[in-house]
């Protein structure tokens, strides 16, 4: 992830986060974190959690990452690289289950959007977490925040619908605005906004 002060932050599924000078490529800092992969008994090696890679997010001097070789969110000081302690997010049912979180989508104001088996928004000032309605993105691509809207590719909550939906939320209320279905199966890939278009990357070549 590139920032305006010419830093590039990189997260590797090898237990480390790095900050690089975007001009020279020099390493500004490299910090290791505690890994918590699952050991494969047949291969004798550690495998990561079943989540795709998410790029780091910079917020108020912190670099936030959701690694593939650790269950929970990690934070690092943007300048020094020192790992920072984070409180455990609380939901109405108890602590947030990080193992079911798959995508670090982004931050709007002081709210962080996390995709997963049940997607959540986390209020960063107190780490209170709230679930988003009909928001299972665990087998889908990464969503995007654009203006006052959050777009998440999600599984449908309608029985028998194998196509999935585009879940749309209002960032001011976090209420679901619409859930139109995709035209065909496997169209729920990574999303990005380009001009007036919402672009989805899928495994279908056209």
């Amino acid at each position: 992830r590139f920032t305006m002060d010419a830093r590039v932050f990189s997260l590797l599924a090898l237990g480390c986060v790095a900050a690089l000078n975007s001009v020279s490529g020099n390493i500004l800092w490299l910090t290791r974190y505690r890994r918590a992969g699952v050991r494969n008994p047949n291969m004798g090696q550690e495998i990561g959690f079943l989540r795709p890679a998410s790029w780091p997010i910079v917020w108020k001097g912190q670099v936030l990452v959701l690694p593939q070789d650790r269950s929970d969110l990690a934070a690092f000081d943007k300048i020094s690289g020192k790992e920072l302690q984070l409180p455990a997010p609380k939901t109405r049912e108890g602590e947030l289950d990080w193992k079911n979180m798959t995508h670090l989508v982004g931050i709007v104001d002081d709210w962080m959007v996390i995709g997963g088996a049940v997607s959540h928004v986390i209020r960063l000032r107190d780490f209170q977490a709230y679930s988003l309605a009909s928001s299972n993105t665990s087998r889908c691509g990464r969503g995007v925040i654009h203006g006052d809207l959050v777009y998440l590719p999600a599984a449908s909550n309608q029985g028998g619908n194998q196509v999935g939906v585009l879940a749309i939320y209002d960032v001011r209320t976090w209420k679901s605005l619409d859930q139109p279905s995709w035209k065909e199966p496997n169209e729920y890939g990574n999303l990005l906004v380009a001009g007036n278009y919402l672009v989805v990357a899928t495994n279908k070549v056209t």
Side-chain angles (χ1 to χ4, degrees), residues 11-199:
L11 169 65
L12 304 175
L14 298 171
C16 63
V17 178
L20 309 174
N21 184 295
S22 63
V23 178
S24 66
N26 291 336
I27 297 176
L28 302 176
W29 53 259
L30 180 68
T31 302
R32 299 190 65 84
Y33 55 80
R34 172 185 50 81
R35 302 180 74 188
V38 179
R39 183 167 294 278
N40 186 329
N42 298 321
M43 302 295 292
Q45 62 185 16
E46 288 190 349
I47 58 175
F49 290 91
L50 298 179
R51 65 166 61 118
S54 291
W55 57 51
I57 291 179
V58 180
W59 177 77
K60 293 186 177 180
Q62 300 178 38
V63 180
L64 302 172
V65 298
L66 187 62
Q68 293 173 283
D69 55 355
R70 169 175 168 160
S71 62
D72 56 330
L73 188 76
F76 302 86
D77 184 272
K78 174 184 171 182
I79 303 301
S80 67
K82 178 182 178 181
E83 185 170 1
L84 306 173
Q85 296 299 313
L86 294 174
K90 301 290 186 180
T91 70
R92 291 186 176 91
E93 293 77 30
E95 290 190 5
L96 183 70
D97 185 1
W98 282 112
K99 292 182 180 179
N100 287 322
M101 299 296 105
T102 54
H103 302 85
L104 185 56
V105 179
I107 294 177
V108 54
D109 295 329
D110 285 341
W111 294 88
M112 179 169 58
V113 182
I114 300 283
V118 177
S119 299
H120 286 74
V121 290
I122 300 174
R123 189 168 55 204
L124 291 173
R125 70 169 182 267
D126 59 6
F127 270 69
Q128 187 67 38
Y130 301 89
S131 61
L132 295 173
S134 305
S135 58
N136 182 356
T137 68
S138 59
R139 296 184 179 181
C140 305
R142 184 179 183 276
V144 65
I145 301 170
H146 182 68
D148 293 332
L149 300 176
V150 174
Y151 301 92
L152 297 179
S156 174
N157 60 349
Q158 301 295 325
N161 185 347
Q162 302 298 317
V163 177
V165 299
L166 174 64
I168 306 172
Y169 303 90
D170 188 328
V171 302
R172 295 163 295 189
T173 63
W174 298 114
K175 291 183 178 180
S176 175
L177 298 180
D178 198 5
Q179 291 197 6
S181 296
W182 301 106
K183 292 182 178 180
E184 299 179 20
N186 301 319
E187 287 191 341
Y188 38 74
N190 295 328
L191 303 179
L192 63 87
V193 174
N196 295 324
Y197 294 92
L198 181 66
V199 182

